[in-house]
Amino acid sequence: MKRLVFCIALALGILLVSGCGTMTGEGRNSSGSGSSGTSGGSSTVQAEDYILEVFNQTNAFRTGNEAYYWNEDNTTKTNLVGRLGTLTLDADLCRAAQIRAREIVENWSHTRPDGRRCFTVLSDLSISYRGCGENIAAGNASGEATFNQWKEDDEDYDGQGHRRNMLGDFTKIGIARAYDPSATYRYYWVMILTK
């Protein structure tokens, strides 16, 4: 399940991050824009609209008529229509995704700046899992554009790693977006999926 595919290119810089986190009674997170509570296991998640946009589109994709991907032969498809459930937006995974979003501005890779694999962020935060996947993207401010980037409609098997991750055997999702106005692509996104 650890299919890793790169999206764009390397960028360096300092960034500002917003995303989703645990609801604390303060109402909104530090960016102050709209929020909505979504069940995330035992914790409630507060998420920015652009995070909810990716979350909702991912679940609609998993449960809709486009839930398929090309097989390695590029002539047959694996059809998952009607076979996948929705994901839960998880506060801990959102925190992990925020850390990774900061990191990919510094080091555009599924390898962390310290040389460890991307999934070590989960053990750093004591998040247990049986399987996981990571999608990274850059260049789009909107959740819809980023989701479509990961959906990879016009790609063959080799180009659909993000799509396969979103259609994987996962139950939880964390999403974050980092913004650095001085970086090449300015907007950097991470999706982490686990079961």
Side-chain angles (χ1 to χ4, degrees):
M1 289 276 177
K2 296 180 180 177
R3 297 181 181 111
L4 306 175
V5 179
F6 295 103
C7 260
I8 305 178
L10 177 64
L12 299 172
I14 301 169
L15 61 134
L16 306 169
V17 175
S18 59
C20 52
T22 305
M23 183 88 71
T24 61
E26 298 159 350
R28 298 174 184 259
N29 64 16
S30 62
S31 69
S33 54
S35 63
S36 174
T38 304
S39 176
S42 62
S43 60
T44 300
V45 174
Q46 171 184 311
E48 300 294 341
D49 290 341
Y50 54 84
I51 299 297
L52 290 175
E53 187 172 27
V54 173
F55 171 67
N56 291 330
Q57 287 184 312
T58 302
N59 276 335
F61 177 48
R62 288 173 59 86
T63 59
N65 293 329
E66 294 182 283
Y68 60 83
Y69 54 82
W70 286 108
N71 293 320
E72 288 184 82
D73 63 13
N74 289 315
T75 58
T76 60
K77 294 179 181 178
T78 296
N79 186 343
L80 299 168
V81 174
R83 295 173 44 199
L84 298 174
T86 58
L87 301 167
T88 301
L89 188 61
D90 183 81
D92 291 332
L93 291 181
C94 285
R95 280 191 287 279
Q98 286 178 331
I99 291 168
R100 289 291 297 132
R102 289 185 207 108
E103 291 177 349
I104 65 171
V105 173
E106 178 184 338
N107 181 40
W108 178 253
S109 176
H110 289 289
T111 301
R112 299 179 74 186
D114 64 7
R116 295 184 298 155
R117 295 180 49 144
C118 60
F119 302 115
T120 60
V121 71
L122 301 174
S123 57
D124 287 354
L125 296 175
S126 300
I127 298 171
S128 61
Y129 61 93
R130 294 187 322 270
C132 57
E134 177 184 80
N135 286 350
I136 61 176
N140 292 305
S142 79
E144 180 178 8
T146 301
F147 169 78
N148 286 327
Q149 189 176 357
W150 282 328
K151 196 173 168 208
E152 301 165 328
D153 282 331
D154 298 325
E155 300 291 331
D156 62 10
Y157 176 85
D158 289 338
Q160 287 189 335
H162 300 102
R163 184 182 185 102
R164 290 191 302 274
N165 269 348
M166 291 194 298
L167 296 175
D169 183 24
F170 299 118
T171 57
K172 297 179 183 179
I173 188 171
I175 305 161
R177 181 184 78 178
Y179 174 71
D180 180 349
S182 65
T184 303
Y185 296 105
R186 296 181 16 192
Y187 294 96
Y188 297 82
W189 292 78
V190 173
M191 172 188 286
I192 296 178
L193 304 124
T194 66
K195 65 175 179 176

